[in-house]
Amino acid sequence: MVLFKQIKTLFIQVFFFTVVFNGTAQNNGLENFNNDWIFTLSDSVEYSLTNYQPKNWQKIDVPHDWTIEQGFSQDLEGCTGFTPGGIGWYSKMFNTKINKNQKFYIIFDGIYNNAEFWINGIRIGNHPYGYAPVYYDLTNLLAPKGKKNRISVRVDHSRYADSRWYTGSGIYRNVHVLITDKLHIPVWGTFITTPKVSNESASVEIKVSLKNDTSTIKKGAIISEIFDMQNTKVTTIRNPFSLNENKDSVVTQNVQISKPIMWKLESPHLYTAKTYIIANNKASKKRTTRFGIRSIRFDKNKGFFLNDENMKIKGVCLHHDAGLVGTAVPKDVWKRRLQKLKDGGCNAIRTAHNPASDEFLDLCDELGILVQNEFYDEWDLPKDKRYNMHDKEVDYITRGHSEHFQLWAEKDLKNTMLSSRNHPSVFQWSIGNEIEWTYPGNRGATGIFKETNKDDKIDWTLWRTVVPPHTPKQVREYWENFPKQTFYIQNTAQKLAQWTREMDVSRPVTANCILPTSSFENGYTDALDVIGLSYKPHKYDYFKETYPDKPMMGTENVPRWYEWKAVIDRDFIPGLFLWTGIDYIGERRSSHWPLKATVDGPLDLAGFPRASYYMFKSLWKNDEAVISIYSQTEEKSIYRNDKKRGVIEKEKDYWKLAPRTWQDVNPYWNYKNGEATIVEVYSNCEVVELFQNGKSLGKQYLKDQDDRTFKWAVDYKKGKLVAKGVKGKLKVQTYLESVGNPVAIRLSPDRKNMTANNTDVLHVIAQLIDKNGREVKNVDKNITFEIEGLYRFLGTDCGNSAKINNFKNKTVTTEFGKCLLVLQATKMESSLTITATSNDIKESKKLLFNIE
């Protein structure tokens, strides 16, 4: 529990935090293998040898991202966030605990990248792709039972600028082992679908892979017990089998569940199937598989249906880093971020531009968030990592996955699907992102770009003519006359789509198409079930009229009102994915330093909301009254006060052209006396009235706001602005208030206790406050954290990467008076004392406050 502590100095706040041991392990057949590794950021041919004795290696637990620990340098590449790579080695000792009738598998959910593996000095394989899972059967390579083994992993990220975003380095996802009998269900050996679903009954199909690694015929039964979320057994299925020696097979189990509890976005009910083998009167260990009963359907005219309910996809794209933790993201960190997005009305995630971790998908299952799981950003040919739209040659440090694609694409795609296909949250498979840039001909075929001019860098998001420059006939003629190529985008798309459908036909295949006028005519889109359109809201009607027979949707969209308006105005567009939901490290240019992150998200790098978060909350949360208020000087605002027309855009119809980065607005009310300001209110209320120091400045109506923004011109006076809104019978209000100088720091933890399980995470927000306890957002200070107790320090952040040199510093500059501290529990019980100080804050009088 957090203990109460009265503080008499205004510039220090202390709270005590107890870490309680109360851990439980899931009986899912997998054993956690994350703990007790050692690591070195160096390279030697001796490291894999059995007689090598590591010296001065760092003791760590994985997941681990060594890049985020190194900080940033202007001398490095902006595409990966000015961060280094290198070559690192991981090693772990463990005892053999299997007997002669058992198997031992090791499963890596993700290693970035170019990994090589050794067990007891024997090289067992390599894996170039950093985002797909991989596993190895170590059974015949282990030492005798009770003896020591050493597994070693070499990770070569010396090509540190090999992606267009921050990648991280190392074993950054979970590691598990699976111990089974030789007659067993192999890794990822269950697949559950719900082919027919209604409120009355659901058909559940369980495909169970069986493997007999013995030298005799095995006969027995496969049994699956299905439980609901209250752990009540719903049904049991039993199927006999007979399997020859050293053979494998698939047993299909079918069962009907009456009155099923659906997996819905608002109530994501999860069932659990516990599957085991009975042979020779012996039952194997149960393997658990969570699944949801739900149906998905895309209609070319009416959009998307979940459980036969028509709904809009309110999605965001997310990269796989989470700010200060890099890519080794604890589950609690993702949970905080995903919950904030869901609270803002988001109901879907596109995993840009690589498959998500299994733990991430677990959270989406639990929270009720749909997922478009994306496989690749490159196929046969490379993208220029420094400039997205180019298909130029690359140098050593930017050589990416395309050089491994021919050999590894099928295995990586299928491993990804095997590991994630039971997640009910996954509702689309995306085979690629904006692949068109890399294949010669696509630029020129559109008529937008000159094929021979690779420096032609117009912003394709602003290509807003209703009709494309080239007609379909002109595009076809262009391709007929284009020189023969080694690789064709349509052929690779068909190959990837075929592999996807071999694994799963219950979900549609899609891709994010950036140059669809070419892709519709060269055969690329023929491979897709749903056409994903990248930044094309002004072309929806054209594409529907020209290509009416396939469902299409927005898969990458500017976080602006006009994009959402284009969706709700058209039944045939089921939804969109904003770019992006949360800021991410990288995709910068050298000229952007010291800004190291892409800052387009409704949530910033620390997970703090921006004004655009509340704008989209007002668009997406129709079941509640939403209101928020921001201000800016008229000089800096995108609006101006016109004497006759009131507040208008400085640039006419700017809202139709607004860039993806939100306008500069402030969450405070502190300016020079008499200074002209513009107050913006984002709300779904039918009417909003603004008051300044109790005096009404007038009512405004949502129907009159073309840009969905209520706005007033207000001359600044010290005091309080209150915005009051009415939505039907609901009333809501918010305010901005002039505050004094900061005299104290308020600490707000996001939880009251943690478990000593080596995984739980504590987020602490530090906020400057004035003598009256009001949040000070117009002043920024350096805050230093001092922590006593047993903990793992994950880092600090303020949301503005231009202010950060290393996330692992305990001194951080605030942004809008606020910053974030993140700690993780260890395996030991402890009390934590966290102290936040700032030398710039002086006591003016005593202030007492509690942290609960």
Side-chain angles (χ1 to χ4, degrees):
M1 293 291 294
V2 178
L3 304 180
F4 294 98
K5 177 83 174 178
Q6 288 189 337
I7 307 300
K8 294 186 178 181
T9 53
L10 298 179
F11 55 92
I12 299 179
Q13 178 178 352
V14 181
F15 67 87
F16 296 94
F17 195 85
T18 302
V19 184
V20 182
F21 181 78
N22 188 26
T24 58
Q26 289 188 6
N27 181 24
N28 58 5
L30 299 180
E31 296 181 22
N32 186 292
F33 206 65
N34 285 340
N35 299 338
D36 304 318
W37 291 75
I38 57 175
F39 169 76
T40 179
L41 188 55
S42 62
D43 190 26
S44 171
V45 294
E46 297 182 353
Y47 291 169
S48 66
L49 302 178
T50 55
N51 61 356
Y52 175 75
Q53 297 299 317
K55 296 180 180 178
N56 301 318
W57 286 34
Q58 178 186 354
K59 294 180 179 180
I60 65 161
D61 297 328
V62 299
H64 174 245
D65 174 4
W66 82 66
T67 288
I68 204 67
E69 298 173 352
Q70 308 302 310
F72 304 93
S73 171
Q74 188 176 1
D75 297 330
L76 299 173
E77 293 290 340
C79 56
T80 45
F82 303 98
T83 58
I87 298 176
W89 280 77
Y90 296 84
S91 186
K92 176 171 177 171
M93 302 294 293
F94 64 98
N95 289 329
T96 300
K97 56 182 181 180
I98 64 169
N99 58 44
K100 64 179 181 180
N101 295 317
Q102 290 183 307
K103 303 277 293 183
F104 185 100
Y105 296 93
I106 187 167
I107 306 145
F108 296 90
D109 195 35
I111 302 177
Y112 205 88
N113 62 347
N114 295 312
E116 297 177 82
F117 305 88
W118 285 262
I119 181 70
N120 297 328
I122 301 171
R123 187 179 185 275
I124 56 174
N126 70 301
H127 189 225
Y129 195 39
Y131 301 112
V134 65
Y135 71 90
Y136 292 97
D137 181 352
L138 303 184
T139 306
N140 297 326
L141 301 173
L142 297 179
K145 187 173 182 179
K147 300 296 184 180
K148 291 282 187 181
N149 302 276
R150 183 162 78 195
I151 186 163
S152 300
V153 183
R154 181 181 186 265
V155 182
D156 183 357
H157 195 205
S158 54
R159 301 172 183 175
Y160 65 89
D162 60 354
S163 285
R164 300 184 298 109
W165 56 83
Y166 177 83
T167 64
S169 304
I171 305 177
Y172 72 100
R173 291 182 181 175
N174 289 322
V175 184
H176 290 95
V177 296
L178 174 64
I179 296 175
T180 71
D181 295 330
K182 288 194 173 181
L183 173 65
H184 64 286
I185 302 169
V187 176
W188 310 320
T190 59
F191 180 30
I192 303 180
T193 56
T194 54
K196 294 182 180 179
V197 174
S198 72
N199 291 328
E200 298 302 316
S201 178
S203 300
V204 177
E205 180 180 90
I206 307 175
K207 290 186 176 181
V208 183
S209 297
L210 276 182
K211 193 172 180 64
N212 180 10
D213 280 346
T214 74
S215 57
T216 61
I217 296 175
K218 294 292 184 181
K219 296 182 179 181
I222 290 285
I223 298 175
S224 290
E225 302 169 331
I226 297 179
F227 297 81
D228 63 18
M229 286 187 73
Q230 286 70 47
N231 203 33
T232 299
K233 186 185 291 188
V234 176
T235 188
T236 300
I237 319 155
R238 182 186 181 102
N239 294 77
F241 72 87
S242 177
L243 189 59
N244 289 337
E245 62 273 20
N246 298 309
K247 295 294 183 179
D248 51 53
S249 175
V250 176
V251 175
T252 301
Q253 301 181 310
N254 290 286
V255 68
Q256 296 292 122
I257 295 179
S258 61
K259 301 293 183 181
I261 306 173
M262 304 291 196
W263 186 89
K264 300 179 180 179
L265 301 183
E266 63 276 11
S267 55
H269 187 92
L270 294 168
Y271 288 88
T272 299
K274 298 182 179 180
T275 304
Y276 57 98
I277 303 168
I278 290 184
N280 299 324
N281 296 318
K282 178 186 176 183
S284 68
K285 184 187 294 185
K286 293 182 180 180
R287 298 280 293 279
T288 65
T289 306
R290 287 200 316 185
F291 68 99
I293 295 178
R294 55 103 177 101
S295 66
I296 55 176
R297 175 166 58 92
F298 283 86
D299 184 277
K300 64 182 181 181
N301 297 318
K302 296 182 180 180
F304 174 65
F305 293 79
L306 177 66
N307 302 323
D308 282 330
E309 178 186 348
N310 188 230
M311 64 177 61
K312 293 295 188 181
I313 297 164
K314 304 168 182 177
V316 301
C317 303
L318 288 184
H319 272 297
H320 73 304
D321 77 276
L324 61 87
V325 296
T327 57
V329 188
K331 189 174 182 179
D332 282 349
V333 172
W334 272 131
K335 185 175 183 179
R336 171 180 175 262
R337 290 172 168 240
L338 290 174
Q339 186 63 61
K340 193 68 178 178
L341 288 171
K342 186 165 177 105
D343 291 345
C346 171
N347 64 19
I349 304 295
R350 172 178 169 233
T351 66
H353 302 292
N354 47 261
S357 71
D358 192 61
E359 202 165 54
F360 181 94
L361 297 177
D362 278 344
L363 275 170
C364 292
D365 292 344
E366 295 160 9
L367 294 173
I369 300 175
L370 297 165
V371 176
Q372 180 193 106
N373 212 16
E374 192 157 79
F375 298 139
Y376 294 112
D377 189 54
E378 291 181 333
W379 292 351
D380 304 295
L381 301 167
K383 287 184 179 177
D384 190 306
K385 311 307 184 296
R386 300 182 179 98
Y387 296 98
N388 298 350
M389 296 167 61
H390 291 222
D391 50 358
K392 299 191 302 187
E393 64 279 4
V394 291
D395 54 23
Y396 178 81
I397 63 170
T398 64
R399 285 167 63 183
H401 188 66
S402 61
E403 64 184 56
H404 303 291
F405 180 81
Q406 300 295 326
L407 183 62
W408 285 91
E410 181 177 7
K411 181 176 181 178
D412 287 334
L413 182 150
K414 290 184 175 180
N415 274 1
T416 295
M417 294 185 67
L418 284 167
S419 68
S420 58
R421 61 186 179 175
N422 289 312
H423 291 280
S425 57
V426 177
F427 80 126
Q428 290 178 318
W429 303 112
S430 172
I431 60 175
N433 168 62
E434 296 186 0
I435 298 294
E436 294 101 319
W437 295 127
T438 64
Y439 287 83
N442 283 292
R443 294 164 60 91
T446 64
I448 311 167
F449 307 93
K450 296 178 181 178
E451 179 64 26
T452 56
N453 182 7
K454 295 176 182 178
D455 292 321
D456 184 4
K457 296 181 291 186
I458 69 166
D459 185 350
W460 64 94
T461 68
L462 301 181
W463 169 46
R464 298 172 186 277
T465 58
V466 175
V467 178
H470 280 181
T471 66
K473 180 181 178 181
Q474 288 175 304
V475 175
R476 290 192 295 271
E477 291 174 348
Y478 180 93
W479 280 115
E480 289 171 1
N481 296 314
F482 198 77
K484 184 177 180 181
Q485 301 293 307
T486 304
F487 300 110
Y488 290 93
I489 191 171
Q490 61 270 29
N491 294 345
T492 301
Q494 289 287 357
K495 182 169 59 177
L496 292 170
Q498 177 185 335
W499 292 337
T500 303
R501 295 184 182 109
E502 287 174 9
M503 305 300 294
D504 180 22
V505 294
S506 69
R507 301 168 173 95
V509 177
T510 188
N512 186 42
C513 298
I514 185 64
L515 302 175
T517 50
S518 177
S519 296
F520 272 113
E521 294 299 332
N522 64 17
Y524 177 13
T525 60
D526 293 344
L528 308 178
D529 301 309
V530 177
I531 312 302
L533 300 174
S534 193
Y535 305 108
K536 298 295 180 291
H538 300 82
K539 302 296 181 296
Y540 291 157
D541 293 334
Y542 169 81
F543 288 132
K544 179 62 176 175
E545 181 180 353
T546 310
Y547 309 100
D549 293 329
K550 275 205 173 180
M552 60 187 73
M553 64 175 294
T555 41
E556 194 163 315
N557 303 81
V558 174
R560 289 285 180 174
W561 154 237
Y562 72 80
E563 289 269 20
W564 185 243
K565 186 177 187 301
V567 172
I568 61 176
D569 285 349
R570 294 163 177 83
D571 291 341
F572 66 89
I573 297 294
L576 51 64
F577 291 94
L578 301 179
W579 190 264
T580 58
I582 309 175
D583 290 356
Y584 59 97
I585 306 171
E587 206 162 353
R588 298 288 82 194
R589 309 289 173 256
S590 58
S591 60
H592 294 159
W593 179 268
L595 186 65
K596 310 162 196 74
T598 300
V599 293
D600 302 330
L603 298 180
D604 68 23
L605 207 58
F608 297 146
R610 285 196 175 92
S612 53
Y613 174 87
Y614 295 104
M615 167 58 85
F616 271 89
K617 185 175 182 179
S618 76
L619 298 174
W620 286 352
K621 297 286 283 186
N622 297 322
D623 58 339
E624 64 181 76
V626 176
I627 193 167
S628 63
I629 185 170
Y630 286 80
S631 66
Q632 185 53 276
T633 63
E634 186 173 357
E635 180 183 1
K636 294 181 179 180
S637 176
I638 64 171
Y639 301 104
R640 65 181 179 87
N641 185 16
D642 184 274
K643 299 298 183 182
K644 295 181 179 179
R645 294 178 291 172
V647 179
I648 61 173
E649 294 172 308
K650 290 179 178 177
E651 181 181 346
K652 181 176 170 48
D653 288 338
Y654 177 79
W655 71 272
K656 298 179 181 178
L657 303 169
R660 67 188 77 201
T661 302
W662 200 257
Q663 61 259 29
D664 183 11
V665 290
N666 300 315
Y668 58 76
W669 186 237
N670 281 77
Y671 298 98
K672 297 177 183 178
N673 190 42
E675 189 168 16
T677 73
I678 302 295
V679 175
E680 300 182 24
V681 173
Y682 315 123
S683 179
N684 58 6
C685 292
E686 289 95 353
V687 58
V688 174
E689 187 173 8
L690 185 68
F691 297 84
Q692 183 179 26
N693 298 336
K695 179 182 178 181
S696 175
L697 301 183
K699 293 181 179 181
Q700 292 188 17
Y701 296 87
L702 185 60
K703 63 181 177 63
D704 299 327
Q705 316 304 320
D706 288 341
D707 61 356
R708 284 283 305 212
T709 301
F710 298 88
K711 43 206 172 286
W712 287 262
V714 184
D715 291 336
Y716 177 75
K717 295 177 184 178
K718 184 178 179 180
K720 194 171 187 178
L721 291 176
V722 178
K724 296 182 179 182
V726 178
K727 177 179 169 63
K729 296 181 179 179
L730 301 175
K731 295 183 179 180
V732 66
Q733 68 178 47
T734 188
Y735 68 91
L736 293 178
E737 187 174 12
S738 305
V739 299
N741 293 325
V743 297
I745 301 168
R746 175 182 293 149
L747 297 179
S748 302
D750 69 339
R751 60 196 304 167
K752 293 184 177 181
N753 53 64
M754 287 196 291
T755 300
N757 56 10
N758 214 32
T759 58
D760 279 6
V761 171
L762 168 68
H763 298 84
V764 181
I765 296 174
Q767 174 70 59
L768 301 177
I769 60 174
D770 69 5
K771 64 181 181 181
N772 295 315
R774 300 173 300 189
E775 295 182 353
V776 178
K777 299 181 180 180
N778 63 313
V779 175
D780 287 311
K781 301 289 184 181
N782 287 336
I783 290 179
T784 299
F785 294 99
E786 296 177 6
I787 308 116
E788 297 179 4
L790 300 176
Y791 64 94
R792 183 177 293 111
F793 176 68
L794 296 185
T796 57
D797 191 12
C798 65
N800 182 353
S801 70
K803 294 182 175 182
I804 302 293
N805 290 322
N806 192 319
F807 289 119
K808 305 308 176 181
N809 290 333
K810 291 183 179 177
T811 297
V812 60
T813 304
T814 63
E815 178 82 354
F816 295 123
K818 181 166 60 177
C819 63
L820 178 70
L821 167 71
V822 184
L823 305 177
Q824 190 171 40
T826 68
K827 291 172 277 190
M828 302 294 292
E829 297 182 22
S830 181
S831 292
L832 299 183
T833 303
I834 301 173
T835 308
T837 63
S838 177
N839 293 332
D840 295 332
I841 296 178
K842 296 181 180 180
E843 181 179 6
S844 57
K845 74 173 190 177
K846 293 180 181 180
L847 174 68
L848 303 179
F849 59 92
N850 297 320
I851 297 295
E852 301 182 12

